[in-house]
């Protein structure tokens, strides 16, 4: 809920700029990347997986809810960063836990289902927030964001107990395992992902662009209400396509699905660049791209690495995602402020083209293991 109303809260309630919002999101994602690397290396150990995943959800919920009491932009930045560090630490642990529960030939569907549920929760939350903003205001709506985090922590504990009964327990030292990951081929496989993440700007900037095209000079309440509805629509499309994308990953491999997601993202960013009033279509395209790329990236790591390296692998993937998000969100926000919104989204679209080129270069004959493994 808080993510959906954050653009209006920063720019309207606190008087911040689009550049400030972009820097907040970019710095938060950058710190989350460091947390993912450290948390990923810790998540190679089964016991730490459970603690990191459950504790991360609790801290994220509490810090996000505390944004509601902020009275200045810098306070929002600190709280957002705290929430995103906890979110970063929990991510690799959660993904490694899921991979340990699913059979290898269903990794695509497993992560597609996980993405479906995650995005669906991001649909219900904003829709509820839209009603709450109109009745109790923006700040009190942000306060309530602590509830989903606590419920998610409870679900993680239950899943960890189920995984604990499967096979021997894995006990590992906290180690980045970079040498082993490089030997497994993950560094080469993540090249297209890195290029993609360098252009994959924060969803909050998409919301700000769409609300600007819809309601110039809107009130704070109207802007917040429209923002949460847009965020819900974005995640609804992502939720609807994540599981089919996972099914396609199991049949064709992550490369095909990832490439299709890049095309959708590129079309969305190009649409926002031309200031078209068909902004809802472009918002939906971005949601569809998210559903495909998120699923493909997670399934790639799960398929490529053994269980004892998956924590570090998901941590490295998360670090790449966060580093890219830091660069893309900060760059798009600053270009938006210094040049124009159109120029900002042209920049984002250009990165999609570069990533697509790298993805196409990793075809069946490539040494980069980004396609489906052989069976039979």
């Amino acid at each position: 809920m808080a993510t959906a109303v954050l653009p209006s809260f920063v720019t309207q309630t606190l008087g911040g700029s689009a550049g400030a919002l972009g820097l907040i999101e970019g710095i938060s994602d950058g710190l989350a990347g460091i947390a993912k690397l450290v948390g990923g290396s810790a998540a190679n150990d089964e016991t730490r997986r459970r603690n990191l995943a459950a504790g991360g959800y609790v801290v994220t919920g509490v810090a996000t809810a505390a944004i509601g009491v902020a009275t200045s932009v810098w306070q929002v930045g600190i709280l957002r960063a705290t929430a995103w560090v906890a979110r970063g630490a929990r991510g690799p642990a959660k993904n490694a836990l899921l991979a340990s529960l699913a059979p290898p030939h269903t990794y695509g569907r497993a992560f597609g289902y996980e993405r479906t549920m995650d995005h669906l929760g991001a649909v219900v939350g904003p829709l509820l927030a839209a009603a709450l903003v109109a009745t109790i205001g923006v700040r009190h709506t942000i306060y309530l964001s602590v509830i989903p985090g606590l419920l998610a922590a409870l679900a993680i504990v239950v899943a960890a107990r189920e995984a604990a009964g499967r096979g021997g327990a894995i006990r590992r030292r906290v180690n980045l395992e970079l040498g082993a990951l490089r030997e497994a081929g993950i560094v080469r496989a993540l090249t297209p992902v890195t290029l993609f993440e360098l252009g994959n700007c924060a969803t909050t900037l998409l919301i700000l662009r769409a609300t600007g095209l819809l309601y110039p000079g809107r009130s704070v309440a109207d802007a917040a209400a429209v923002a949460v509805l847009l965020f819900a629509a974005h995640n609804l499309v992502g939720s609807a396509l994540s599981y089919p994308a996972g099914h396609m990953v199991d049949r064709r491999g992550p490369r095909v699905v990832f490439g299709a997601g890049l095309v959708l993202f590129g079309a969305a960013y190009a649409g926002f660049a031309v200031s078209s009033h068909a902004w809802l279509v472009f918002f939906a395209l971005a949601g569809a791209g998210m559903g495909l790329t998120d699923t493909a990236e997670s399934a790639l790591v799960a398929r490529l690495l053994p269980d004892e390296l998956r924590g570090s692998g998901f941590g490295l993937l998360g670090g790449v995602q966060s580093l890219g998000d830091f660069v893309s969100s900060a760059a798009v926000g600053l270009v938006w402020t210094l040049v124009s919104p159109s120029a900002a989204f042209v920049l984002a679209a250009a990165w999609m083209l570069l990533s697509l080129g790298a993805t196409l270069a990793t075809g069946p004959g490539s040494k980069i293991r980004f396609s489906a493994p052989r069976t039979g």
Side-chain angles (χ1 to χ4, degrees), residues 25 44 71 202 208 220 236 248 274 299 351 371:
E25 294 295 88
N44 290 328
T71 58
L208 187 62
V220 174
L236 180 61
M248 184 58 66
V274 299
W351 281 111
S371 56

Side-chain angles (χ1 to χ4, degrees), residues 63 74 86 120 143 151 184 187 200 272 289 313 315 335 340 359:
W74 69 266
L120 188 60
Y143 297 154
L151 294 176
V187 175
N200 184 23
F272 279 122
V335 172
S340 71
T359 301

Side-chain angles (χ1 to χ4, degrees), residues 54-371:
Y57 273 104
V58 172
V59 174
T60 300
V62 172
T64 300
I67 291 176
V69 303
T71 58
S72 61
V73 174
W74 69 266
Q75 292 172 348
V76 173
I78 291 176
L79 291 169
R80 184 70 162 176
T82 301
W84 252 227
V85 166
R87 185 185 184 187
R90 83 187 188 213
K94 179 195 68 175
N95 289 335
L97 180 61
L98 176 58
S100 69
L101 288 169
H105 65 280
T106 65
Y107 283 151
R109 279 164 285 177
F111 283 100
Y113 181 77
E114 183 270 334
R115 290 288 81 202
T116 295
M117 293 296 101
D118 187 76
H119 295 320
L120 188 60
V123 172
V124 175
L127 290 176
L128 178 60
L132 292 173
V133 165
T135 56
I136 64 176
V138 174
R139 288 185 184 274
H140 289 86
T141 298
I142 294 175
Y143 297 154
L144 296 178
S145 61
V146 69
I147 297 175
L150 298 179
L151 294 176
L154 179 61
I156 287 292
V157 171
V158 174
R161 289 179 178 176
E162 173 69 17
R166 303 191 177 193
I170 297 176
R171 305 293 298 177
R172 303 277 293 185
R173 295 182 297 107
V174 178
N175 194 319
L176 294 178
E177 303 285 3
L178 294 180
L181 292 175
R182 184 171 55 253
E183 291 179 4
I186 195 172
V187 175
R188 295 188 303 272
L190 290 183
T191 299
V193 175
T194 302
L195 294 172
F196 161 66
E197 297 296 346
L198 287 171
N200 184 23
C201 62
T203 306
T204 48
L205 292 172
L206 299 182
I207 295 172
L208 187 62
R209 176 61 164 163
T211 54
L213 293 172
L214 180 61
Y215 285 133
R218 63 202 173 277
S219 68
V220 174
D222 286 344
V226 171
V228 294
L229 290 173
L230 288 173
F231 190 70
H234 178 268
N235 285 282
L236 180 61
V237 175
S239 177
L241 291 183
S242 291
Y243 188 77
H247 186 73
M248 184 58 66
V249 166
D250 290 332
R251 294 183 58 189
R252 300 288 302 277
R255 174 177 166 268
V256 173
V257 175
F258 185 74
L262 293 174
V263 173
L264 294 172
F265 263 117
Y269 290 148
F272 279 122
V274 299
S275 303
S276 170
H277 289 292
W279 48 266
L280 185 57
V281 173
F282 304 128
F283 217 84
L285 289 174
M290 175 185 66
L292 271 61
T293 55
D294 281 0
T295 302
E297 288 176 355
S298 296
L300 166 66
V301 174
R303 288 156 62 101
L304 189 64
L305 300 175
D307 192 38
E308 63 269 18
L309 290 178
R310 286 198 189 110
S312 293
F314 282 116
L316 180 61
L317 171 63
V320 168
Q321 291 170 335
S322 294
L323 176 62
D325 288 346
F326 168 75
V327 174
S328 62
S329 295
V332 169
L334 289 174
V335 172
W336 181 319
T337 301
L338 299 176
V339 184
S340 71
S342 294
F345 285 104
V346 166
L347 175 64
W351 281 111
M352 298 301 105
L353 288 176
L354 289 174
S355 179
L356 182 60
T359 301
L360 293 175
T362 61
S366 171
K367 295 181 180 180
I368 301 178
R369 297 171 59 186
F370 201 70
S371 56

Side-chain angles (χ1 to χ4, degrees), residues 5-16 68 70-71 73 138-139 220-221 224:
V5 300
L6 186 64
S8 296
F9 186 69
V10 170
T11 61
Q12 300 289 330
T13 303
L14 300 181
T71 58
V73 174
V138 174
R139 288 185 184 274
V220 174

